[in-house]
Amino acid sequence: MNLRRVWAVVLKELRQIRRDRISMALIVVIPVIDLLLFGYAINFNPRNLSAAVADQAMTATSRAAVMDINATGVIRTTAVADTPQELVDMLRRGEVSVGIAVPPDFDRRLADGRPALQVMVDGTDTVVQAAANQIAQTPLERASGGRPARATPQIEVVSFYNPQRRSAVSIVPGLIGIILTMTMVMFTAMAIVREREHGNMELLIATPLDRSELMVAKVLPYAVIGLVQTTLILALGIWMFDVPLLGSLLDVYIAALLLIVANLALGLLISTRAQSQFQAMQMTIFVFLPSILMSGFMFPFAGMPKLAQWVAEVLPMTHFLRLVRGVMLRGASLWELWPSVAALAAFTTVMMTAAILRFRKRLD
């Protein structure tokens, strides 16, 4: 073996990698992103879960009990309700993850050692269910009626929408978004690049289609493919894992279509930047990795710092996860979940507009 010849090839490869900005970004940026995500953004211990309180007792003891629960740091009271039914409605709409219902006879229950208050949790998120177990251990030791309350846990936890606490119930709907994000972005990211590499771009430019029509025509077939993938995952999830479908099937497909179009628009924007299909695949990693880790699919969204949550709000997967879990598992309608619908529509508009503008700029 001639070491000089080997060393010459090594230097050639290093120079080639250095000239490839996408590869350099993967080498440097991916480890940095992973470090920041796992070290800063991702927190396995859920904190500051949004909660609503319905205090029907309105006594000093009941207020002190709610303060004790808030002091654990697991929840953060963001809304107040008048009745337990209002708490259930907030849970269904996804406005809060936890509801605390304090009955009118709270003081008497606390003194007698009976369950004194009820904690309602959104069972569509297994992380929230785990957090409820921490809340249940909060001792209610305030005085009640002149007698000391018992120190044993007197908090009843009720899991809505997933009483059996099956992980498949929360995972399968999210898998729809994960698979659509991975395939839709990658397919369309390579669409324009493939035409350029095969020499077909000049033929497409010569057609009567304008640039916006051309780009819309490029994504429509993949939208159909995405709906087929959605149907396949739904059918297998319901058949094999008994995942419930409490809401409208049409709403599920509309939510999936919103995510598909958003990812297709993002893929088109990537395709106008990439120089080759390999580069397009590399660039999709920068979208796919945060979508898995920061959307709330694998790790608690509420446990992330505010800055990380702001970044996650830009990801289509974050809003789709709220939509699909809300419709399938909580029986909510898209109208009740309109903020996520609006976010996906806005993301699609911005990405598609940027893709069309950049595509025109590259052809001039």
Side-chain angles (χ1 to χ4, degrees), residues 15 45 75 90-91 109 159 199 208 233 260 282 287 317 328 358:
R15 294 191 189 98
N45 299 317
I75 68 167
M90 290 181 181
L91 287 174
R109 287 172 172 267
S159 178
I233 301 170
I260 290 169
Q282 289 178 314
V287 178
M317 178 62 189
M328 288 188 63
R358 184 169 180 83

Side-chain angles (χ1 to χ4, degrees), residues 107-222:
D107 289 8
R108 186 181 303 110
R109 287 172 172 267
L110 189 62
D112 295 340
R114 294 179 292 161
L117 58 82
Q118 187 179 77
V119 174
M120 309 174 183
V121 298
D122 180 4
T124 62
D125 192 336
T126 54
V127 174
V128 176
Q129 292 179 338
N133 295 330
Q134 300 182 38
I135 299 174
Q137 302 303 316
T138 305
L140 304 181
E141 302 181 16
R142 301 292 179 177
S144 177
R147 292 176 295 176
R150 299 182 182 181
T152 55
Q154 295 174 302
I155 300 175
E156 179 186 11
V157 177
V158 179
S159 178
F160 280 77
Y161 315 116
N162 186 14
Q164 297 177 341
R165 301 188 178 185
R166 294 189 296 121
S167 58
V169 171
S170 60
I171 290 176
V172 171
L175 278 177
I176 299 175
I178 292 297
I179 294 174
L180 290 179
T181 299
M182 179 177 62
T183 56
M184 295 296 100
V185 175
M186 185 178 298
F187 287 166
T188 49
M190 295 187 296
I192 302 298
V193 181
R194 182 172 59 249
E195 300 291 354
R196 190 181 301 116
E197 288 183 343
H198 293 173
N200 297 330
M201 185 59 68
E202 291 79 6
L203 296 176
L204 291 174
I205 296 174
T207 62
L209 294 171
D210 60 32
R211 295 174 178 85
S212 59
E213 292 172 340
L214 174 60
M215 301 199 79
V216 171
K218 293 292 290 183
V219 304
L220 284 180
Y222 299 110

Side-chain angles (χ1 to χ4, degrees), residues 9-266:
V9 175
V10 170
L11 291 177
K12 174 257 184 189
E13 290 295 326
L14 291 175
R15 294 191 189 98
Q16 186 171 335
I17 293 174
R18 185 182 61 185
R19 287 194 293 266
D20 188 348
R21 289 181 293 178
I22 302 297
S23 296
M24 287 296 296
L26 285 173
I27 294 172
V28 177
V29 176
I30 291 297
V32 174
I33 291 178
D34 286 345
L35 178 64
L36 292 177
L37 287 178
F38 284 96
Y40 172 71
I42 294 174
N43 184 357
F44 291 92
N45 299 317
R47 312 292 292 177
N48 298 320
L49 297 175
S50 58
V53 177
D55 188 353
Q56 295 180 303
M58 294 301 293
T59 64
T61 311
S62 65
R63 287 191 291 269
V66 173
M67 291 176 60
D68 286 342
I69 296 176
N70 275 277
T72 63
V74 177
I75 68 167
R76 176 173 52 88
T77 301
T78 58
V80 177
D82 295 326
T83 64
Q85 183 57 45
E86 291 186 21
L87 296 179
V88 176
D89 294 338
M90 290 181 181
L91 287 174
R92 189 187 69 254
R93 294 192 296 266
E95 297 176 2
V96 295
S97 299
V98 179
I100 301 177
V102 183
D105 58 343
F106 172 80
D107 289 8
R108 186 181 303 110
R109 287 172 172 267
L110 189 62
D112 295 340
R114 294 179 292 161
L117 58 82
Q118 187 179 77
V119 174
M120 309 174 183
V121 298
D122 180 4
T124 62
D125 192 336
T126 54
V127 174
V128 176
Q129 292 179 338
N133 295 330
Q134 300 182 38
I135 299 174
Q137 302 303 316
T138 305
L140 304 181
E141 302 181 16
R142 301 292 179 177
S144 177
R147 292 176 295 176
R150 299 182 182 181
T152 55
Q154 295 174 302
I155 300 175
E156 179 186 11
V157 177
V158 179
S159 178
F160 280 77
Y161 315 116
N162 186 14
Q164 297 177 341
R165 301 188 178 185
R166 294 189 296 121
S167 58
V169 171
S170 60
I171 290 176
V172 171
L175 278 177
I176 299 175
I178 292 297
I179 294 174
L180 290 179
T181 299
M182 179 177 62
T183 56
M184 295 296 100
V185 175
M186 185 178 298
F187 287 166
T188 49
M190 295 187 296
I192 302 298
V193 181
R194 182 172 59 249
E195 300 291 354
R196 190 181 301 116
E197 288 183 343
H198 293 173
N200 297 330
M201 185 59 68
E202 291 79 6
L203 296 176
L204 291 174
I205 296 174
T207 62
L209 294 171
D210 60 32
R211 295 174 178 85
S212 59
E213 292 172 340
L214 174 60
M215 301 199 79
V216 171
K218 293 292 290 183
V219 304
L220 284 180
Y222 299 110
V224 176
I225 293 174
L227 292 176
V228 172
Q229 288 181 322
T230 302
T231 302
L232 180 61
I233 301 170
L234 279 175
L236 291 177
I238 295 173
W239 175 52
M240 297 182 64
F241 301 102
D242 197 25
V243 176
L245 178 57
L246 302 181
S248 168
L249 181 61
L250 178 61
D251 284 350
V252 174
Y253 275 102
I254 293 175
L257 187 60
L258 287 171
L259 178 66
I260 290 169
V261 175
N263 285 329
L264 292 177
L266 178 59

